[in-house]
């Protein structure tokens, strides 16, 4: 059995890329060293987009990583619709703040609206 390992690498004299980490959650987020948090913010609200833009260096992001999901209702179609709506909101945000050539990662559950999300993704990203 292999054990999980964390490896930190320090190379003297080598400048590594630096960046900013900004977390957004509708719930309270515990502070994390080196990151800025927007607790109690709803990503689907334009006011959250504006708050994020104020925190971003040059109001642009290289990567948007979304692991959000709605609270499960137990109704597959409803949960799917809610998640696709959240993903579309992330795409609205990406359209505003993602640098050209930037990356977006979001999860969604397959369902009746998946094609709508895939079409929007295809129109925004070439590869």
């Amino acid at each position: 059995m292999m054990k999980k390992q964390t490896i930190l690498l320090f190379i003297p004299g080598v400048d590594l890329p630096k960046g900013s980490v900004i977390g957004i959650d509708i719930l309270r987020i515990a502070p994390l060293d080196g990151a800025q948090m927007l607790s109690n913010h709803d990503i689907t609200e334009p006011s959250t987009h504006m708050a994020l833009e104020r925190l971003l260096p040059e109001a642009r992001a290289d990567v948007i990583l979304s692991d959000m999901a709605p609270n499960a209702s137990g109704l597959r179609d409803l949960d799917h619709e809610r998640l696709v709506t959240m993903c579309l909101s992330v795409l609205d945000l990406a359209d505003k703040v993602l640098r050209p050539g930037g990356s977006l990662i979001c999860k969604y559950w397959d369902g009746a609206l998946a094609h709508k999300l895939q079409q929007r993704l295809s129109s925004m990203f070439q590869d």
Side-chain angles (χ1 to χ4, degrees):
M1 175 187 291
M2 296 185 65
K3 292 183 179 181
K4 287 179 80 175
Q5 297 181 26
T6 301
I7 299 172
L8 300 176
L9 182 62
F10 173 73
I11 306 170
V14 174
D15 287 330
L16 298 175
K18 295 184 179 0
S20 299
V21 174
I22 303 169
I24 302 172
D25 202 302
I26 201 163
L27 302 175
R28 185 187 175 289
I29 308 171
L32 180 64
D33 287 344
Q36 298 177 54
M37 301 297 184
L38 292 174
S39 291
N40 304 312
H41 281 73
D42 184 342
I43 195 67
T44 65
E45 294 294 327
S47 60
T48 299
H49 294 196
M50 290 187 296
L52 176 62
E53 288 178 69
R54 287 191 296 272
L55 291 175
L56 283 170
E58 302 172 26
R60 303 300 264 168
D62 294 307
V63 176
I64 297 175
L65 171 62
S66 171
D67 187 38
M68 66 182 168
N71 291 331
S73 69
L75 302 172
R76 179 177 162 75
D77 291 342
L78 177 62
D79 292 341
H80 166 73
E81 181 180 338
R82 290 167 62 201
L83 182 54
V84 167
T85 299
M86 294 169 102
C87 289
L88 291 170
S89 181
V90 171
L91 286 172
D92 290 341
L93 176 65
D95 199 35
K96 295 176 194 171
V97 302
L98 195 61
R99 290 185 196 282
S103 299
L104 171 86
I105 301 169
C106 65
K107 69 178 178 188
Y108 67 95
W109 302 317
D110 196 20
L113 298 177
H115 72 281
K116 182 177 180 180
L117 181 58
Q118 291 166 350
Q119 286 174 341
R120 180 92 185 275
L121 285 164
S122 293
S123 73
M124 291 179 67
F125 297 95
Q126 305 307 314
D127 295 322

